[in-house]
Amino acid sequence: MGALPRLCSLLETDPTLALEESILSILIAVARASPACSAAISKFQRLVDDVVERLLVQKNPNVLSTRIKSVMLLRVLAQSDQKLCMQFIKDGTFQKVTWQLYSITSSIDGWVKSGREHCKLASKLMIEQLRLWRVCINYGHCVSYFTAFFPALCLWLNLPRLELLVEKNLIHEFCSISSEAYLVLEALSKRLPNLYTQQRTMNHSQDTCDDGGETWCWNDVSPMVDLALTWIAFSRDSSLSKAFDLQTGTDGKSFVGDHMNSLLWVVSAVLRFLSTIVIKALPNDSLDNGESVGIRKPLPQFVSKISYQIVKNGLLSFSHGGIEKLSIKANGVSSFVDKLCYLRNLSNHGTALASVCCLHEVFQLLVAIDRSTQLSSENEDQHFSSRSSNSSVAGGIINDGIMKCSFPQRKAVLLQCMNLVVTEWQSLQSIEVFGRGGPAPGVGLGWGASGGGFWSLTVSLAQADASFLIDLLQTISDSSWDEILGESERNVCKQMIISALAVCLIAGPNDASIVKKAFDFLLQIRVLKYFNLTICQFLQDSPRFKQLNLEYGEEDLLIFSKLLASHYSIRWLFVKPRKRKETADGIPMRKTFQKNSGSLDTILEDMDVDSVAVTRVAPASLAAEWAHQRLPLPKHWLLSPLTTLGQSKDGSSVSTSGKSLAAHDSAEVLEVIKAGLFFLLGIEILSAFMSGENLFVVHSPVTSIPLVWKLHSLSVMLLSGMSVLEDERNRGTYEALQFLYGRQLDESRLNNSNDMDLLRFQSEIHETYTTLFIDALVEQFASESFGNLHYGRQIAIYLHRLVEFPVRLAMWNALSNSRVLELMPLLDKCVGDAVGYLEPAEEEDDILQAYAKSWASGALDKAMTRGSMSYALALHHLSSFIFNVSSEERRPSRNKIVKSLLRDYSRKQQRQAMMIGLIRYRADSTLQQLRQNECMHSDNDELNRRLEILAESCDRDSSLLNEVEKLKSLLQPKMS
């Protein structure tokens, strides 16, 4: 960090305003780049002191921009290290840099009169000061400053005169402060003690939380709730109603755009604060036992007030008392949620992002209120409406459950959100192309990607949609799920599963909690039961599998759920161990990108405090490190249970040698594979047989998984031994997957006739595929399979014409050298259509030479007797090459192969039938005709032409010409 002393020297030389801003911008970017960079700046005490000193000395309003950047730098440093944050508090730095939070603005008129430019800069400074305070609160410090700061915050917490702000074009500045102030209140709410614990201790407030930090007081909550509710009082405040009403004329239209965005962000922060308060007011489960049994837990008054205001102000449309679409509407128009859904579909990314975040907070609040009401109703005999409202309709809705009464609208929102998410995930797939070493947040848009990286609005919007959707899916109750599972709603269930898979691919490096929720949704027993039903229906409808019974009981499904939840969490959500420099001798894993010498060591981003709070330990840092983890997920993450053989319990790679299972619990590995087979088959069938849902078929994450990875996963699991296929249901599931992948293989062949190397195992899986993996697979096949049909089918896939040339060659040579070509299945028993193994005719000399070598070595003798596909392949491709080659350049290769076959025939007369079959072979368009090829009589002209080609290829070698004459004499009676 040799640059830091130079930057410090420049700051001490009284630089110009532009130079000082540039220096501070550089320091901010460096501090956000990595833990090491942030620590280097924080340890340079002289530099930190200079920044603070210049911040305090500069009172000129014209230099507010540098003070903004100074506070931002201190905030970033405090965010990266709790000890440094504590140091700022102890030495008085925090109090000094937040002086503006003590300054009371008497009225909005006085603030507006200071001038637009001053308001803009002053608002930015106050926002950074509030963010610094929020960082301290999240660490458990400075909570007590609320009493001192509240008088200055009152103006910003209250709903302003919107017309005045619009007239002065200052609504964005005001709302930015307001939204940040409510985010501070939300952070304070997380420092509240349990409400019922405090009541039980006779209202004596705790001084510390479980993590040792300061606590906020419940006495301060109710006034804050009253202020927050003014921002959603659509039925009472006409200006607010007009601002969000897009159907009432020009006044409403004037709030579309930046004004609308600003208001939405405030409402979103308000709703977030309210939902946190309601959650903190929930009864503690630990109090439900022991001496606390029988203690009444009344619904807090502020929760009742929030509930009633939600219904009264028409945030949602409700169905209650047999009246469909009942809604207590604001200003006689549609509900607030309807308006948010409309705004989400606008092309303006800023408005769409604000609206979806607001939607998310609306439903988070509804879930919290519903849960609070249900818990209270178990201990209350009174009706809700009798305590909080004279409105029997509102009270009835709240007593019945807000979530239940709003199900029709929730379903409409769910459908819209699923349609959005399933089309958005593909835009994130190009972000990883250059590896994980891009610019830090604030410096650029993110990693190289068309349309922007992880800091672009496009990706932020997709991730906001994904976060909202997965929380929305979790709100579906058992009764709602049963309704969705009805025949008329079956497609909705499929869409939910497909969209949950899309959520997994949208989640970025800071979204582990979202991925965990998606895993929980996909692996819940209700979804697995639906897969069970889907699989059974597929088997009944397929003549090939009618005899199979793959139905599992609920106990089996519960085991599957636990096994897969544990596996996926360990494999994809655990911190990735640092890699040692060694050659890959394990299961071929995804190739890692090498970082450029100039790339950053890691990337930091704000950590979700919710993920830290559950640990009950104060975090050492609020910066989430993006390195050493596996998000975003690759497309093929679903397949990992089948490749669990190559993974240790911490998710790192292990060897695939014969001792690979010695280091693992083989029984556990087999159980994970069994669960993975079931889960994968259910998803594949669901995706393959969706009807009438083109959007979800085209954009399904399942259909986008490269076929090469699907086939590879079926091969990897075979390395665990034959025991996995000994179980009848495992074997049936494996066969069904091979059937489905065979269909996909045929579709790929027909749709990509010009690209014959679609299955690039070596290029896409691992560069050692043709050596380590192929050898291990064939060795297992030769030693344990005894010609098992399912194993043989899987081996045969590597000889398909869509497989890249090096892999086909390696597989043939491995089978030939192990003398197991005869164990291969019949051609019509292979995965996919037989034509895919035969056409187009082979053109690679190395493979043709390998066929000839196996022929001459006797490796194909038993294969011919058994009718194995290996003999059919060699016969077809050798015959096609020898008798149909037209290029002069290929004739030397042809002559070499013919000589090899004739010499072998001259020494081993038992090859007579094979040579005659080669000469008389003729490929036909159908498999049935193919089986009859050796019995068909070719016309004399064609046989004469082929014999002439053989004679020509002998290059006048008399001994070989004699062998051709022998063959001619054998064929002569049949030619007459």
Side-chain angles (χ1 to χ4, degrees), residues 470 474 510-518 520 573 608 611 631:
I470 203 62
Q474 290 187 321
N510 199 34
D511 297 327
S513 60
I514 296 177
V515 178
K516 181 65 169 62
K517 290 177 184 178
D520 292 341
L573 300 182
D608 183 3
S611 63
L631 299 180

Side-chain angles (χ1 to χ4, degrees), residues 395-505:
I397 290 174
I398 297 169
N399 277 324
D400 287 351
I402 289 180
M403 296 299 287
K404 177 182 177 181
C405 294
S406 64
F407 177 73
Q409 179 151 59
R410 283 194 296 124
K411 182 179 176 182
V413 175
L414 175 65
L415 291 174
Q416 174 180 318
C417 195
M418 289 192 299
N419 288 335
L420 291 169
V421 167
V422 82
T423 58
E424 287 175 327
W425 68 268
Q426 290 175 327
S427 63
L428 279 74
Q429 295 305 303
S430 60
I431 293 179
E432 280 288 281
V433 288
F434 299 117
R436 295 185 175 174
V443 179
L445 285 178
W447 300 319
S450 58
F454 276 105
W455 292 277
S456 67
L457 278 177
T458 302
V459 173
S460 297
L461 179 58
Q463 291 177 341
D465 285 335
S467 178
F468 173 44
L469 174 62
I470 203 62
D471 282 339
L472 201 57
L473 289 173
Q474 290 187 321
T475 66
I476 300 175
S477 63
D478 290 334
S479 59
S480 301
W481 185 268
D482 293 338
E483 182 179 341
I484 290 173
L485 279 179
E487 287 296 330
S488 60
E489 302 289 347
R490 190 68 59 86
N491 276 335
V492 177
C493 185
K494 295 178 181 179
Q495 292 172 17
M496 290 194 298
I497 296 171
I498 295 297
S499 57
L501 294 172
V503 166
C504 295
L505 296 179

Side-chain angles (χ1 to χ4, degrees), residues 300-320:
Q301 185 177 3
F302 61 82
V303 177
S304 304
K305 188 183 299 183
I306 295 170
S307 306
Y308 177 67
Q309 290 299 321
I310 286 176
V311 178
K312 175 185 176 183
N313 290 293
L315 265 68
L316 283 90
S317 297
F318 298 99
S319 176
H320 172 67

